[in-house]
């Protein structure tokens, strides 16, 4: 039994540069605080595509691997996923065989069947909480981003209102659900499309209070009516450009605008008078930056709290499709299947998240 | 002896709508905490022109005045100035005849020869500090803005660096001088012009460390060399548009960008990655808002500290011209003179601040 990994040697379009390799079986038993993790599920996130293209701020560490007797320097992509502990070294304290874990370090190379890591590279997820495998495998990017933004900049209380753009994104959907779980109301901006009614129904099903297109943002007085005289003190922006300017129109005096993405690939635009006279405060949020600067204990506590909230508020799984890379496939067959998947990802999957299940290579 | 005031009835171009009136002499002695203030000097600031045009966020309170036996609703413009106490009511505690004061409330109508106010409408300026009349008369707008921005957002220590755009503006000059007075270094951005060398010499004479055009902003590495490996944690922006984007290139990680003006009359532009990956924090500053929300005691303490710093650091007077509206002029003659001045202001006075000296109307 040997591990399979999806790798690349050079940056480029994932549909062209990714390939599958089989890694030699490990001979020695685990030592010290090492752990062996079977990767159960690993999603494909938009940022992963940027990583493979080489256009993201971070890259996986290069690894020297022996592939069919040849030493190669390869990159193992995949940032998020759910693992199960299959073996622990003699000095491992807080993990045991069968535990579920998520990956604490970014770019762990989760598009693989198994990994040998150290105890501090993972964070335990309480399987007893009742969280589903899909929700656990997609925990550390979007729900963490959403929940951290909801709890960092403004002290929100039940009954408070927030607003966000690109509300139909995976992060936006997590914001809606986690806000609802805390009793916080949301105004959600989406683009005008023929299927507005359907998207509105979907987002309201997740707990959205108000869904609007950018073209239908009402004036200040009507906004105040919408929120029942409350304030909108937090605005989340992952678009940039004109959308920032539209979104900030919903802000109350002294509100925080938090930028966490740049879908429009344009500079944010804000009228200076909103900063000067309305005291709007603009900040950025970067999940990876927070993860890297926080202690393992802080992250672990945060994830426990988040998992509890997700379970208690019946957090719905993302619309998703699990694609299995079967252990019976040869590396060549697996490579074809992987590239086919990324061909679909490149064209857009219409909001359906693809989650990989890379099986251990069988009968080599 | 009667007071003279410059007034307007309707918003418009100051060179067309302003006129001079003579107000009837006051009959009764002062009561309670009333004070009589002779206005010694009152500058014309750019925002005053916007006020008269009606395009500013605030307006003076309308006043019902008896002009030549006719009751009229008039506005008295003029926001800044230096006054001298000429008489105090029986309950006035902290002011006496001869004291210098500045105006605590915005839009006090300082383009006049005298005013009856309440004790809390003014703040005493310590004449014994040695501050000049011109510096005292131009204290509450630009030096207050500059000093408040230098002391609010970032805890700056001697040897630290800041950056600002429109460095040659009156506020920019105040920033340079007050920063220097506190041992803080400045990078100053100005527009490319033929007279760059002259402007650079002038700003360096005020204490500027580095003067650059927007076209010559160096790359990150060279910026680090410029500031000797220190950080640039505060950036002041009163331009907006592309200039914001240029200015923020000088920022270190976690720096505050403070917007306090909008000379370009364009939205600020900021690349989202600077917010997300570099944690740049954007705030606005509005002097009037701070003045109105602070207590008289806070403002008074702040001004004392500022005056001390100005005197100890040999703060240079703005390049200025004092224009006297003589008490011997008739209202018609005074009106002509005032409109002529604003004709010059409209054309631009090349960085020379016009300071009015409105004399009491004589021999009516």
């Amino acid at each position: 039994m040997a591990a399979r990994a999806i790798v690349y040697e050079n940056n480029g379009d994932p549909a062209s540069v990714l390939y599958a390799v089989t890694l030699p079986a490990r001979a020695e038993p685990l030592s010290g605080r090492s752990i062996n993790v079977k990767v159960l599920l690993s999603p494909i996130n938009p940022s992963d595509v940027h990583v493979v293209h080489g256009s993201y701020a971070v890259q996986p560490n290069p690894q020297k691997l022996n592939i069919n007797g040849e030493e190669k320097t390869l990159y193992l992509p995949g940032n998020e996923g759910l693992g199960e502990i299959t073996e622990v070294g003699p000095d491992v304290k807080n993990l045991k065989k069968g535990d579920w874990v998520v990956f604490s370090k970014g770019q762990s190379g989760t598009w693989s069947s198994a990994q040998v890591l150290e105890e501090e590279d993972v964070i335990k997820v309480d399987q007893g909480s009742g969280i589903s495998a899909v929700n656990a495998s997609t925990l550390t990017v979007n729900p963490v981003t959403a929940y951290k933004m909801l709890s960092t900049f403004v002290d929100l209380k039940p009954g408070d209102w927030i607003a966000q753009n690109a509300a139909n994104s995976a992060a936006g959907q997590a914001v809606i659900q986690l806000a609802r779980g805390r009793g916080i109301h949301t105004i959600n901006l989406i683009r005008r499309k023929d299927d507005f009614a359907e998207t509105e129904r979907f987002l309201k099903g997740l707990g959205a209070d108000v869904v609007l297109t950018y073209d239908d943002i009402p004036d200040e007085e009507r906004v105040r009516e919408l929120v029942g005289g409350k304030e909108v003190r937090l605005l989340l922006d992952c678009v940039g450009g004109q959308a920032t300017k539209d979104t900030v129109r919903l802000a109350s005096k002294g509100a925080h605008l938090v930028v966490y993405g740049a879908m429009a690939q344009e500079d944010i635009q804000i009228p200076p008078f909103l900063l000067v006279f309305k005291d709007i405060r603009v900040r950025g949020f970067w999940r990876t930056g927070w993860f890297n600067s926080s202690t393992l204990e802080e992250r672990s506590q945060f994830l426990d709290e988040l998992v509890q909230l997700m379970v208690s508020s019946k957090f719905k799984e993302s619309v998703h499709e699990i694609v299995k890379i079967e252990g019976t496939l040869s590396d060549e067959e697996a490579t074809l299947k992987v590239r086919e998947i990324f061909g679909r990802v490149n064209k857009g999957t219409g909001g359906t998240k693809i989650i990989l299940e890379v099986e251990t290579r069988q009968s080599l």
Side-chain angles (χ1 to χ4, degrees), chain A residues 11 32 106 120 134 157-158 205 300 319 336 346 364:
Chain A
N11 287 121
E120 59 269 27
V134 165
K157 309 266 186 246
S300 184
V319 178
L336 280 177
N346 284 344
L364 193 64

Side-chain angles (χ1 to χ4, degrees), chain A residues 95-157:
Chain A
L95 294 171
K96 60 178 193 308
K97 196 178 163 182
D99 280 349
W100 274 9
V101 294
V102 292
F103 300 87
S104 177
K105 290 201 300 189
Q107 310 303 329
S108 290
T110 56
W111 297 345
S112 54
S113 65
Q115 294 194 320
V116 182
L117 297 168
E118 297 293 302
E119 184 172 9
E120 59 269 27
D121 294 337
V122 298
I123 302 171
K124 185 176 167 175
V125 172
D126 179 14
Q127 219 174 326
S129 67
I131 190 167
S132 74
V134 165
N135 270 342
S137 77
T138 53
L139 179 65
T140 55
V141 174
N142 291 314
V144 162
T145 299
Y147 191 52
K148 189 70 190 169
M149 292 194 298
L150 287 173
S151 42
T152 299
F153 301 96
V154 175
D155 183 24
L156 295 169
K157 309 266 186 246

Side-chain angles (χ1 to χ4, degrees), chain A residues 181-307:
Chain A
R182 286 182 49 190
I184 295 160
H185 303 294
T186 54
I187 303 177
N188 299 278
L189 297 176
I190 60 174
R191 278 179 295 184
R192 174 168 297 293
K193 277 186 186 165
D194 294 332
D195 60 358
F196 173 78
E198 196 185 324
T199 306
E200 183 185 34
R201 206 175 312 121
F202 173 67
L203 296 180
K204 288 200 165 176
L206 297 178
D209 294 277
V210 176
V211 181
L212 297 170
T213 70
Y214 296 97
D215 305 324
D216 297 324
I217 298 171
D219 63 21
E220 211 169 332
E221 199 177 330
R222 176 85 184 100
V223 170
R224 201 166 307 146
E225 281 172 35
L226 263 183
V227 299
K230 287 267 190 175
E231 295 193 318
V232 181
R233 288 193 297 141
L234 180 66
L235 302 104
L236 306 176
D237 172 25
C238 69
V239 182
Q242 170 73 29
T244 308
K245 189 171 172 177
D246 291 335
T247 306
V248 82
R249 286 172 52 202
L250 295 164
S252 297
K253 203 163 179 247
H256 280 71
L257 171 77
V258 177
V259 176
Y260 72 101
M263 286 184 190
Q265 304 198 351
E266 286 171 14
D267 295 338
I268 65 160
Q269 294 170 26
I270 303 181
F273 78 89
L274 288 178
L275 300 165
V276 175
F277 300 133
K278 216 170 171 180
D279 193 20
I280 302 303
R281 296 138 190 239
V282 187
R283 292 286 302 267
F285 177 73
W286 188 34
R287 189 200 64 89
T288 304
W290 169 62
F291 244 56
N292 292 347
S293 68
S294 58
T295 65
L296 185 63
E297 202 186 337
E298 284 167 347
R299 273 169 279 168
S300 184
Q301 275 184 11
F302 182 85
L303 283 186
D304 277 347
E305 196 182 306
L306 172 57
V307 166

